[in-house]
Amino acid sequence: MEQFDIFDNIQESFQSNNENNNFAANAESFTIVMPLVPDYSYPTEDLQPLLDLLKGWGLECVYQTLLAELIDLKVLKLLKDDDCKELLNKFSLGIRILFINNLENWKKGLLQNENMTATIQQYTPTTKTFQQQKSVDHNIDLGVILNSITTGGMIEDYYKINNRFNDNIRSLLVDAIISYIITKKMTMSVNLVDYIGDQIVSMFPSEVKDTYFIKYESNKNPKGKLYAKFYNSMRVLKPTGLVTSNVKNIDKPNSRKHSMHLEPEKDISYIVDQVKNDTSCPFSEVEPTTKFRLNEIQKAISTSDIINEWNSFTLPLGYRLVDIDFKTLYPDCQDLITTFEDKSQQIMNLIDEKIKDSSSRKLLNNLKDTPDISQNETNTVLFYLLHAIFVPTSKEVTMDHNGKINQVKHSIKDSQNTFMVFKNSVCEIEEYITLRRNEKNPIQPFILIVGSPMQPREIIVFFDCIKYKVFSILNAIDVCFKLIHLFNLEYPTESSIV
C-alpha cells in the first residue's frame, strides 16, 4: 500500500486508496492504517496530537489500535472502562490498566481546565464592565492575535492536550503578542502588559501571570517575558529606523522605603539610654523599645547611623534583634524557615527540569549521586542553583578612567557571588572582607561560607561591620532578607531576581 506524509495532502490519498477501503499514512516513524468509512472523515489534525499524548503516557504501542477503531481525541474523551477493555482486549492486563489510569487522569485535567475557564468567565456586571472598558482602552485581544498567526491554533491545541505550556510554547506566545504590539504601533505601558497578562491567565488558567508580567510596588522597572521581549525587539529594530520609541512613561513611587509610622512605646527613655550604651543589655530589655527604634531607623540617613545608635545589632546574636524588629514591621510575613520545608521538593523538581547551565547541572548531579547528604548541605546547593534558573537579565553601565562607557551583562556566577561566597578557610574570609571594604562601595548583606556548596562548614552573614555566625543556610538567608527590608536596602542588582 502506498505511504505518504500525513501532513501533506491527505485528501488525495483518501481517494487513491478508496478501492482498498483503507488508507495509510506516516506520522513521525509510525505507519498508520485506518479503515475508510463512507461519509465519515477522520479528523486528521488529531493524528499527531494523539500520538504525542500516548507518548506522554508511554503507550505508543496502542496508537495503531486506536486509529484502526477510528478513535480521535473527541472520541477518546467519551471512552468508558468497558470500552477500553474491549478496545485493548489483545493487549496484556498491565497495558490495559496503564491506559485506563492515564485516560482517567487526562479527563480529570480537561474537566478541571474547563471548570477553571468557566469560573473565570463568570464576571459580575461591575467586573465585566471594567474588563470591557480595559479592552476598549487597550484595543487588544489575545484571541484575535492567535487567530491572526499560523501558530496560534497550534498553541491553543497544545494547551488543550497538555493543560500546560513548556518554555518553548511560552516563547512562541510572547513573540506573537509583542509582534502584534509593534506592528500595530501600540504604546507599551504597565497597564497594557498587565491587561495582557490577565488575558493569558484567563485563556490558559494553568499559566502564572508573574511569568509574563511582574509589577513592583517600588521604583523598579516591571519585569517578565513580555517586557523583556518588547525591549529586546525594540533594541534590535531602532537602529534600522524601522520603528521609533513607543514606550509610555511609567509612574513610579518615589522611594522603596517603608513609610509606616508606629506609635512608640511610652515611658521608655531610661530603657533607650541603657540599650544604646550598654551592649550587654539582654534582648528581653531591648524588645520594649521596638516601635521607637523602628521609627528612628526610618529617619536615619545611613545604615552606619543606625548601627552606631543601636549597638545591640553588632552583637553575635544581634540577628535576634533583627528578627524582633522585622516581625513588628511585617507581622503577616511568612517565615522562610517554617515554609521552606513544604516547598523544597518543588524547588528540586523545578531545578531538575529547568537547569541548562553545564556547571550547575554537574553540581545537581553530584547532589543526587551523593548518599547520606545532610539537609543543610542539600539546601545550600538548592539555593545556589536557583541562580541558574533565575538567570540575571540586568545590565550595568560603567565608565572607565578614559570616559568610555561600557555595558556589562551579569552572569550566573555574578548572581551567585552576591548571594553567597565560598572560601577555604576563615583566614580567606577575613581577607575577602578586607578587600571588599577597601573598594569603598556599599556592601549589601550577603553570606560567607567556609567550604563548598556540598560541604558548608561555617556560615556567616556579613553586612557593614556586622558578622553573624549562624548554623544553617536557611537561617542565613532569613537574616539577609530581614536585614534588607528592615534597613530599607536594595537587593544586589546581580541577584535581584533570586
Side-chain angles (χ1 to χ4, degrees), residues 453-484:
M454 293 281 288
Q455 293 181 317
R457 299 193 300 275
E458 287 191 45
I459 303 175
I460 297 169
V461 174
F462 183 77
F463 167 58
D464 202 271
C465 61
I466 300 172
K467 284 186 286 186
Y468 296 139
K469 184 175 181 179
V470 295
F471 298 98
S472 77
I473 192 66
L474 283 181
N475 283 113
I477 293 170
D478 187 59
V479 172
C480 276
F481 178 80
K482 290 174 178 176
L483 276 169
I484 286 172

Side-chain angles (χ1 to χ4, degrees), residues 231-480:
Y231 281 103
N232 288 338
S233 299
M234 293 297 289
R235 187 167 60 247
V236 172
L237 292 172
K238 277 183 182 178
T240 67
L242 293 174
V243 298
T244 56
S245 178
N246 62 342
V247 182
K248 186 176 180 180
N249 289 332
I250 300 171
D251 295 329
K252 301 176 183 178
N254 293 326
S255 173
R256 158 179 205 279
K257 285 177 175 285
H258 49 71
S259 55
M260 184 189 306
H261 178 76
L262 301 169
E263 188 65 34
E265 299 85 352
K266 297 179 180 179
D267 301 324
I268 58 167
S269 56
Y270 72 97
I271 303 179
V272 171
D273 290 337
Q274 182 181 0
V275 169
K276 286 184 176 181
N277 300 307
D278 184 5
T279 55
S280 63
C281 185
F283 286 106
S284 58
E285 295 184 17
V286 176
E287 190 167 358
T289 65
T290 298
K291 294 180 181 179
F292 175 85
R293 181 170 51 260
L294 288 171
N295 288 333
E296 293 297 304
I297 288 174
Q298 294 188 72
K299 297 175 187 176
I301 297 175
S302 68
T303 54
S304 297
D305 292 343
I306 299 170
I307 294 169
N308 291 335
E309 192 76 7
W310 301 91
N311 288 320
S312 296
F313 283 117
T314 64
L315 297 174
L317 296 179
Y319 56 83
R320 290 177 55 188
L321 183 58
V322 173
D323 190 60
I324 291 169
D325 288 356
F326 179 87
K327 287 180 178 177
T328 302
L329 195 59
Y330 302 105
D332 297 327
C333 183
Q334 290 184 314
D335 189 74
L336 171 69
I337 297 172
T338 56
T339 58
F340 181 76
E341 289 183 8
D342 298 332
K343 309 292 184 184
S344 59
Q345 188 56 51
Q346 296 178 40
I347 294 174
M348 173 66 85
N349 296 340
L350 184 68
I351 288 173
D352 197 14
E353 176 187 347
K354 300 286 185 180
I355 278 187
K356 298 177 182 177
D357 177 61
S358 57
S359 61
S360 299
R361 173 59 63 179
K362 183 178 179 181
L363 178 58
L364 177 62
N365 290 336
N366 288 340
L367 173 66
K368 292 160 70 174
D369 295 340
T370 303
D372 303 324
I373 191 167
S374 72
Q375 190 60 53
N376 185 50
E377 291 166 340
T378 300
N379 292 343
T380 304
V381 174
L382 288 184
F383 277 104
Y384 194 68
L385 291 179
L386 277 180
H387 301 261
I389 296 179
F390 302 110
V391 179
T393 57
S394 58
K395 296 182 180 180
E396 186 175 0
V397 178
T398 61
M399 182 181 293
D400 61 21
H401 61 282
N402 294 321
K404 183 180 178 181
I405 296 177
N406 301 302
Q407 194 177 62
V408 180
K409 187 179 186 303
H410 298 303
S411 65
I412 293 173
K413 195 66 178 175
D414 293 332
S415 181
Q416 290 169 332
N417 286 342
T418 57
F419 195 82
M420 56 178 82
V421 175
F422 295 91
K423 297 296 178 182
N424 294 320
S425 65
V426 174
C427 182
E428 286 188 15
I429 281 183
E430 293 298 332
E431 290 175 358
Y432 180 79
I433 290 173
T434 301
L435 180 66
R436 289 291 303 272
R437 282 174 172 164
N438 290 340
E439 292 174 353
K440 305 297 183 183
N441 293 323
I443 301 176
Q444 305 295 76
F446 69 99
I447 302 165
L448 284 162
I449 297 176
V450 178
S452 66
M454 293 281 288
Q455 293 181 317
R457 299 193 300 275
E458 287 191 45
I459 303 175
I460 297 169
V461 174
F462 183 77
F463 167 58
D464 202 271
C465 61
I466 300 172
K467 284 186 286 186
Y468 296 139
K469 184 175 181 179
V470 295
F471 298 98
S472 77
I473 192 66
L474 283 181
N475 283 113
I477 293 170
D478 187 59
V479 172
C480 276

Side-chain angles (χ1 to χ4, degrees), residues 2 18 51 58 66 83 95 109 121 154 168 193 196-197 204 221 237 249 264 291 296 313 333 339 362 364 373 420:
E2 183 182 357
N18 190 37
L51 177 58
L66 266 61
D83 299 327
I95 295 294
Q121 292 173 345
M154 297 168 65
N168 292 330
V193 185
I196 295 170
F204 308 110
N221 287 327
L237 292 172
N249 289 332
K291 294 180 181 179
E296 293 297 304
F313 283 117
C333 183
T339 58
K362 183 178 179 181
L364 177 62
I373 191 167
M420 56 178 82

Side-chain angles (χ1 to χ4, degrees), residues 10 13 18 23 61 68 74 78 83 92 104 120 192 199 228 270 277 315 339 396 410 414 419 459 476 493:
I10 196 166
S13 299
N18 190 37
F23 71 91
C61 57
K74 182 178 179 180
L78 305 175
D83 299 327
S92 64
E104 288 177 354
I120 290 170
L192 175 64
Q199 287 195 61
Y270 72 97
N277 300 307
L315 297 174
T339 58
E396 186 175 0
H410 298 303
D414 293 332
F419 195 82
I459 303 175
T493 305

Side-chain angles (χ1 to χ4, degrees), residues 218-220 255-256 444-445 484 488-493:
S218 67
N219 59 346
K220 293 182 179 180
S255 173
R256 158 179 205 279
Q444 305 295 76
I484 286 172
N488 306 312
L489 307 173
E490 294 286 349
Y491 293 130
T493 305

